[in-house]
């Protein structure tokens, strides 16, 4: 009978291959003593990928220090200066938490970063399913910018572990959807839940077929949001386009999982704590829990996030609130010490998360998913806000079954998210940076007749550049302005670029247009049709029309219900 000590790792639980190095206090991947060794030492740095030459070829967890080689028996080793005969001080393990969410009704995704060497990461990469969403999304992930990830929980019933949940032939709709916005400075994040019963227009959607061809699925007007996925062959790219059209918030990437993800991931963390204000006995979801605190996992966790008859008015909006409480609890469990210090749990999480995931090709590599996780790790739970798209009952229905946008609140919330405004009390920029931005608007302003500017369309509606040009020349006296056509790239926000000696002109134009200091970009001038230096005004997606001020909000709108990930709340 082969034992792990003989180097045979077949059938071994991956978690059992991680051992604690007593010298460093860190976990290392045991490669097996029977592995062949080279008779001739290789050059420094020649160890295989995912190993460290100084560690004798041991695989190591990224971010962990590798201990120095021990001396041969009988060969005394020189202790480091100032440390005569003492054991090296143990380094405290770095926290390894990372979360990417979604849910089966609430398929959520957790990726434990730093849980293996190169070969193990390649193994995890084989677990991930990718979808080419074509023109939807950004493409590659950027660690230097704000980003928006659409997290989709599909109610698809097919696949292992999803039997017995209703219509087995369902194509899988967008049952639970959360748009996760992470701020550029990583000081805050907003998780915006989108009701499945929200009435929206679904745009025409180009989808990539298995044979490489493209098929355009026709759009629909005035239908439930959940139909943006599955029906007619719509893929997650269609859901991304629908969200962008409904909110005006660009969607960079998506992550999707099904019912089974809730079961496998909650089991991997040994259950998630939940709190109830009253006992629940739901015959439909089979959820039975007492009042107060409980722990749910597997089938019970899925029942908890799926039930629509145990809380509030027994509708989808109340279910969303319960799901948000559940996600916050999951996040707290993920960042707890008993999870972070357990290699067994980290490996289980990595396996469960990657098997549950379907993502766009832009983030389909495990190394990229790790980058996403590390960026999320920077955000404190107290500054991660959960909120829901503001809605009201559909006035066109006698029996209320769907909802529509609350136009008095929703546009202001969408604008705040587009402009990176936190829903929590948090400083979004360092004081010096904020002061520098504000200072751009202070100082002498040149006369309007001396302002030279080229106007470009970089994402605004067609004809916006010409409309703005006419308004500037006829109504504002900026006669030295000209239409320079379309910009090389589309921008989410309108920008004014100017050279240092054009600051007075820039302040005048910013005053005329209602631009904030953050829209002013010091740089280089361009040359106009007369061969003279000019500024460059690029109208972005936020352009609302000539003469409409473009100052973005600098604080969260009032009247928006929200909760934060650090607070324990009981479902009622």
């Amino acid at each position: 009978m082969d034992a792990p000590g003989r180097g045979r790792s077949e059938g071994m639980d991956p978690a059992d291959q991680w051992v604690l190095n007593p010298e460093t206090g860190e976990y290392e991947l045991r490669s097996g003593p029977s592995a062949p060794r080279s008779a001739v030492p290789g050059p420094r740095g020649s160890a295989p990928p995912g190993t460290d030459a100084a560690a004798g070829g041991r695989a190591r967890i990224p971010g962990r220090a590798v201990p120095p080689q021990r001396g041969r028996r009988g060969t005394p080793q020189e202790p480091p200066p100032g440390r005569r005969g003492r054991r090296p001080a143990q380094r405290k393990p770095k926290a390894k938490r990372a979360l990417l969410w979604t849910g089966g009704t609430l398929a959520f995704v957790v990726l434990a970063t730093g849980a293996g060497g190169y070969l193990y990461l390649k193994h995890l990469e084989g677990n991930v399913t990718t979808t080419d969403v074509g023109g939807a999304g950004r493409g590659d992930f950027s660690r230097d910018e704000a980003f928006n990830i659409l997290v989709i929980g599909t109610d698809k019933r097919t696949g292992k572990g999803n039997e017995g949940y209703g219509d087995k032939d369902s194509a899988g709709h967008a049952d639970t959807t959360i748009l996760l916005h992470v701020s550029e400075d990583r000081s805050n994040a907003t998780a915006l839940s989108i009701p499945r019963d929200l009435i929206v227009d679904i745009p025409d959607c180009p989808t990539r077929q298995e044979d490489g061809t493209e098929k355009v699925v026709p759009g629909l007007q005035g239908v439930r949001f959940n139909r943006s996925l599955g029906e007619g062959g719509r893929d997650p790219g269609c859901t991304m386009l629908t969200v962008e059209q409904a909110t005006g918030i660009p969607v960079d990437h998506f992550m999707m999982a099904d019912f089974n993800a809730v079961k496998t991931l909650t089991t991997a963390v040994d259950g998630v704590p939940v709190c109830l204000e009253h006992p629940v006995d739901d015959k439909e979801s089979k959820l039975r829990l007492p009042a107060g605190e409980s722990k749910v996992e597997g089938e019970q966790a899925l029942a908890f996030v799926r039930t629509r008859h145990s809380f509030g008015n027994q509708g989808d909006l109340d279910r969303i609130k319960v799901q948000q409480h559940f996600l916050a609890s999951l996040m707290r469990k993920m960042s707890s010490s008993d999870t972070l210090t357990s290699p067994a749990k980290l490996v289980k999480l990595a396996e469960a998360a990657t098997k549950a995931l379907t993502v766009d090709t832009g983030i389909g590599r495990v190394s990229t998913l790790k980058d996403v996780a590390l960026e999320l790790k920077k955000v404190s739970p107290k500054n991660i806000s959960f909120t829901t798209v503001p809605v009201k009952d559909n006035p066109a229905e006698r029996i209320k079954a769907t909802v529509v946008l609350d136009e008095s609140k929703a546009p202001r919330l969408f604008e705040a998210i587009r402009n990176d405004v936190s829903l929590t009390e948090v400083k979004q920029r360092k004081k010096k940076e904020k002061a520098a931005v504000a200072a751009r608007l202070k100082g002498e302003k040149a006369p309007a007749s001396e302002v030279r500017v080229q106007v470009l369309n970089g994402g605004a509606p067609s004809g916006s550049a010409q409309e703005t040009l006419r308004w500037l020349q006829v109504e504002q006296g900026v006669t030295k302005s000209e239409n320079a056509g379309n910009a090389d790239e589309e921008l989410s926000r309108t920008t004014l670029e100017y050279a240092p000696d054009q600051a007075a002109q820039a302040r005048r134009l910013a005053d005329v247009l209602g631009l904030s200091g953050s829209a002013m970009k010091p740089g280089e001038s361009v040359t106009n049709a007369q061969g003279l230096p000019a500024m460059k005004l690029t109208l972005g997606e936020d352009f609302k029309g000539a003469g409409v001020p473009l100052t973005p909000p600098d604080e969260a709108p009032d009247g928006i219900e929200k909760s934060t990930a650090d607070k324990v709340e009981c479902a009622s």
Side-chain angles (χ1 to χ4, degrees):
M1 178 170 149
D2 290 327
R6 292 181 175 273
R8 298 292 185 89
S9 59
E10 295 88 341
M12 184 188 298
D13 188 323
D16 294 335
Q17 298 181 43
W18 293 93
V19 295
L20 180 68
N21 186 323
E23 294 188 1
T24 63
E26 315 238 351
Y27 290 100
E28 297 172 351
L29 182 62
R30 178 169 54 199
S31 59
S34 63
R37 299 186 180 184
S38 172
V40 181
R44 183 177 179 85
S46 62
T51 64
D52 193 297
R58 287 193 304 270
R60 56 186 173 84
I61 300 178
R64 297 292 194 187
V66 177
Q69 290 182 323
R70 298 180 182 178
R72 295 183 180 275
R73 186 171 297 180
T75 305
Q77 300 294 305
E78 183 75 25
R83 303 289 303 253
R84 302 184 65 83
R86 290 166 54 191
R87 291 182 61 186
Q90 292 187 358
R91 294 178 57 190
K92 295 181 179 180
K94 293 182 180 179
K96 294 188 182 79
R97 68 175 172 83
L99 24 121
L100 310 169
W101 321 308
T102 182
T105 299
L106 175 70
F108 49 83
V109 179
V110 178
L111 177 65
T113 61
Y118 175 80
L119 294 177
Y120 187 62
L121 289 178
K122 295 301 291 184
H123 158 72
L124 291 178
E125 198 159 288
N127 292 343
V128 180
T129 302
T130 60
T131 296
D132 184 352
V133 293
R138 177 186 292 183
D140 294 335
F141 175 73
S142 173
R143 290 182 291 180
D144 301 320
E145 302 175 12
F147 61 90
N148 301 312
I149 295 180
L150 192 66
V151 184
I152 305 170
T154 173
D155 57 3
K156 189 173 183 179
R157 269 73 168 177
T158 59
K160 184 178 179 180
N162 286 324
E163 305 88 352
Y165 295 117
D167 182 7
K168 65 179 181 179
D169 297 320
S170 170
H173 298 94
D175 191 62
T176 294
T177 307
I178 298 174
L179 179 59
L180 175 64
H181 169 79
V182 181
S183 70
E184 183 175 4
D185 63 5
R186 308 300 187 247
S187 66
N188 66 92
T190 300
L192 177 68
S193 293
I194 302 173
R196 55 168 290 163
D197 297 325
L198 175 65
I199 295 299
V200 297
D201 291 339
I202 299 174
D204 293 346
C205 176
T207 59
R208 188 76 63 186
Q209 304 301 299
E210 291 185 1
D211 60 3
T213 61
E214 185 179 276
K215 173 186 175 183
V216 176
V217 182
L220 297 170
Q221 284 71 49
V223 298
R224 278 180 166 90
F225 171 79
N226 69 332
R227 295 175 65 182
S228 64
L229 178 70
E231 182 179 321
R234 294 188 180 92
D235 64 15
C238 303
T239 309
M240 295 167 72
L241 294 174
T242 302
V243 170
E244 287 189 355
Q245 180 170 287
T247 66
I249 302 171
V251 181
D252 303 317
H253 305 282
F254 87 88
M255 297 179 179
M256 182 174 70
D258 58 18
F259 285 159
N260 205 42
V262 180
K263 296 188 292 184
T264 58
L265 291 171
T266 53
T267 300
V269 295
D270 293 337
V272 175
V274 296
C275 179
L276 301 177
E277 288 190 1
H278 57 78
V280 168
D281 186 358
D282 182 3
K283 293 183 175 58
E284 292 195 25
S285 68
K286 299 179 176 59
L287 178 67
R288 298 185 64 184
L289 290 174
E293 295 186 358
S294 299
K295 185 173 72 170
V296 296
E297 65 177 279
E299 291 284 355
Q300 196 175 40
L302 179 58
F304 183 84
V305 297
R306 289 189 68 215
T307 181
R308 298 179 64 155
H309 303 283
S310 302
F311 308 107
N313 296 322
Q314 302 187 10
D316 188 53
L317 296 179
D318 290 303
R319 184 180 69 164
I320 286 175
K321 292 180 182 179
V322 173
Q323 292 169 355
Q324 291 173 349
H325 297 337
F326 181 85
L327 273 178
S329 180
L330 173 66
M331 293 168 61
R332 292 191 296 272
K333 182 64 179 288
M334 287 301 306
S335 59
S336 65
S337 60
D338 67 326
T339 299
L340 300 177
T341 58
S342 169
K345 288 183 181 179
L346 290 176
V347 169
K348 287 180 181 178
L349 279 169
E351 293 284 349
T354 50
K355 288 178 181 177
L357 271 176
T358 297
V359 302
D360 60 279
T361 52
I363 56 174
R365 298 175 62 87
V366 167
S367 58
T368 307
L369 289 173
K370 182 188 72 173
D371 289 341
V372 174
L374 290 174
E375 295 307 304
L376 286 170
K377 175 185 172 184
K378 297 175 182 178
V379 185
S380 169
K382 69 179 181 180
N383 290 323
I384 299 177
S385 302
F386 291 93
T387 189
T388 305
V389 171
V391 296
K392 58 185 180 182
D393 288 336
N394 187 350
E397 295 176 335
R398 285 181 56 195
I399 300 177
K400 305 304 179 185
T402 62
V403 293
V404 296
L405 288 180
D406 184 342
E407 295 294 346
S408 68
K409 296 180 180 180
R412 294 185 293 119
L413 176 60
F414 299 156
E415 186 178 20
I417 294 174
R418 278 197 305 271
N419 288 285
D420 220 13
V421 175
S422 174
L423 300 189
T424 61
E425 295 294 330
V426 61
K427 295 178 180 178
Q428 292 185 294
R429 297 185 182 91
K430 296 178 182 178
K431 289 184 178 180
K432 289 184 179 180
E433 294 174 342
K434 194 170 183 179
V437 168
R440 295 172 190 168
L441 295 171
K442 297 179 180 179
E444 180 185 356
K445 297 181 178 66
S449 59
E450 294 181 7
V451 174
R452 291 190 297 270
V453 61
Q454 287 187 336
V455 183
L456 298 91
N457 191 327
S462 178
S464 294
Q466 187 59 36
E467 176 193 357
T468 301
L469 179 66
R470 186 202 64 77
W471 179 77
L472 287 174
Q473 292 180 341
V474 176
E475 299 186 33
Q476 302 300 319
V478 184
T479 55
K480 297 177 181 177
S481 52
E482 62 185 35
N483 186 345
N486 292 328
D488 294 334
E489 60 180 347
E490 293 190 356
L491 304 177
S492 59
R493 296 180 58 184
T494 296
T495 61
L496 174 62
E497 298 178 58
Y498 61 97
D501 60 352
Q502 296 172 318
Q505 294 183 49
R507 284 191 285 269
R508 171 59 66 191
L509 191 59
D511 184 57
V512 167
L513 295 168
L515 291 178
S516 68
S518 61
M520 301 170 66
K521 307 295 182 185
E524 297 180 358
S525 62
V526 294
T527 302
N528 66 12
Q530 288 74 42
L532 298 173
M535 299 181 294
K536 183 169 72 171
L537 173 66
T538 305
L539 306 178
E541 295 173 355
D542 63 342
F543 180 77
K544 301 180 179 67
V548 180
L550 288 171
T551 302
D554 57 4
E555 58 183 19
D558 296 328
I560 301 297
E561 292 187 18
K562 62 180 183 294
S563 60
T564 53
D566 63 320
K567 300 289 177 59
V568 177
E569 299 190 45
C570 295
S572 60

